């Protein structure tokens, strides 16, 4: 098993005049290649912060985030980070905040394809190809974000990530703004895409039932630390920590 990203004693505080928040309080985590890991925990425990650090959107105050290429995202030069960044993608919770409202979808996606070195005459076919991988089509290219549903926009966000040939995708509560049917569709799509494209997935959610549908392993976070890691079934059936027990108790029974 190759490790794609290895975090050691990662710490991050948000400082303000009134108080400091220790969002990450010494996180150790190995993310294997071609693996789906769910990161679960109650609101405010540090999931989004951890996700952002692992794609280089933020830097930690201390610790190491070692990529398989030998680059430490926590301490490397900006130039090393820039060349690695496209392969490390993050999709966010709010689909309507993920695209500029005044741009048609092709206007948002084309610059991404261009940055990937795709030649101008090939751009549209590359965009259509990436949309088709997520169940959308050329017909959606001319739409504004407001003309797409939340579920369609989340799929467009995934299409944008796929354009960068990602090695790793952080999906941060990507289905929490959707109804159950769209949620189900999106999680199935993630499974299909992983089987085809073999990226590592960090699936962030506060829903342990959803985590089991998507991920092989589950990490439970509590107050800035990872307190439990195991196979999804194992954590669901026999949670070891108080934090994991609380999450299991929060799953609606019909999901079992
Ligand atoms: N930009 C920021 N400035 C100050 N505090 C922040 C900032 N971002 C996050 N925090 C605080 O850091 C802690 C961890 O936040 P984070 O967003 O990582 O949690 P989370 O597990 O993703 O929560 P949720 O499930 O609600 O999305 C929280 O206490 C939060 O209030
Ligand atoms: Mg969050």
């Amino acid at each position: 098993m190759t490790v794609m990203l290895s975090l050691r004693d990662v710490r991050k505080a948000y400082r303000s005049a009134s108080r400091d928040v220790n969002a990450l309080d010494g996180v150790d985590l190995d993310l294997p290649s071609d693996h789906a890991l769910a990161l679960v925990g109650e609101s405010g425990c540090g999931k989004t912060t951890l996700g952002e650090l692992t794609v280089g959107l933020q830097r930690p105050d201390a610790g190491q985030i070692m990529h398989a290429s030998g680059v430490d995202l926590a301490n490397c030069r900006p130039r090393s980070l820039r060349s690695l960044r496209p392969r490390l993608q993050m999709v966010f919770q709010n689909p309507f905040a993920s695209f500029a409202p005044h741009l048609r979808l092709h206007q948002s996606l084309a610059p991404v394809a261009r940055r990937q070195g795709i030649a101008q005459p090939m751009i549209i076919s590359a965009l259509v190809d990436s949309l088709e991988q997520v169940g959308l089509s050329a017909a959606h290219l001319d739409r504004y974000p407001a003309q797409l549903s939340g579920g369609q926009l989340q799929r467009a966000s995934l299409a944008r990530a796929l354009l960068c040939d990602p090695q790793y995708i952080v999906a941060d509560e990507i289905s929490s703004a959707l109804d159950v049917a769209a949620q189900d569709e999106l999680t199935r799509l993630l499974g299909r895409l992983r089987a085809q494209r073999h990226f590592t997935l960090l699936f962030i959610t506060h829903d342990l039932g959803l985590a089991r549908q998507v991920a092989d392993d589950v990490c439970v976070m509590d107050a800035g630390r990872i307190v439990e890691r195991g196979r999804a079934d194992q954590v669901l059936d026999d949670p070891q920590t108080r934090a994991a027990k609380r999450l299991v108790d929060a799953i609606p029974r019909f999901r079992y």
Side-chain angles (χ1 to χ4, degrees), residues 10-11 16 35 42 50 68 72 91 142 167 171 184 196 208 244:
V10 169
R11 291 168 189 275
S16 68
H35 186 85
E42 287 181 348
L50 184 58
D72 177 3
V91 179
D142 277 335
Q167 177 185 38
D184 204 46
Q196 289 159 6
L208 206 36

Side-chain angles (χ1 to χ4, degrees), residues 44 47-49 93 172-173 204:
K47 304 181 297 296
T48 296
T49 303
Q93 178 167 14
D172 187 1
E173 304 268 10
I204 298 180

Side-chain angles (χ1 to χ4, degrees), residues 20-43:
D20 292 351
V21 177
N22 280 326
L24 297 181
D25 198 14
V27 170
D28 294 317
L29 177 66
D30 282 342
L31 281 163
S33 301
D34 194 4
H35 186 85
L37 180 71
L39 184 63
V40 301
E42 287 181 348
S43 183

Side-chain angles (χ1 to χ4, degrees), residues 63-123:
Q64 269 194 353
I65 305 176
M66 194 57 79
H67 182 260
S69 62
V71 172
D72 177 3
L73 300 186
N75 298 296
C76 66
R77 289 158 187 258
R79 187 163 22 135
S80 313
L81 195 57
R82 267 201 303 280
S83 62
L84 205 53
R85 274 281 293 129
R87 309 240 27 227
L88 314 175
Q89 288 288 315
M90 185 151 176
V91 179
F92 293 91
Q93 178 167 14
N94 179 355
F96 295 95
S98 298
F99 288 93
H102 61 289
L103 296 181
R104 296 178 194 272
L105 201 50
H106 73 84
Q107 293 173 303
S108 284
L109 295 179
V112 179
R114 235 171 262 131
R115 275 199 297 278
Q116 283 302 108
I118 297 172
Q120 190 62 31
M122 304 301 294
I123 296 249

Side-chain angles (χ1 to χ4, degrees), residues 41-42 206-210 236 239 242-256:
E42 287 181 348
H206 54 266
D207 183 334
L208 206 36
L210 205 57
L236 263 165
R242 259 211 352 243
K245 284 182 183 135
R246 277 200 305 268
L247 292 172
V248 170
D249 288 342
I251 307 173
R253 292 291 141 191
F254 63 81
R255 276 254 183 78
Y256 277 107

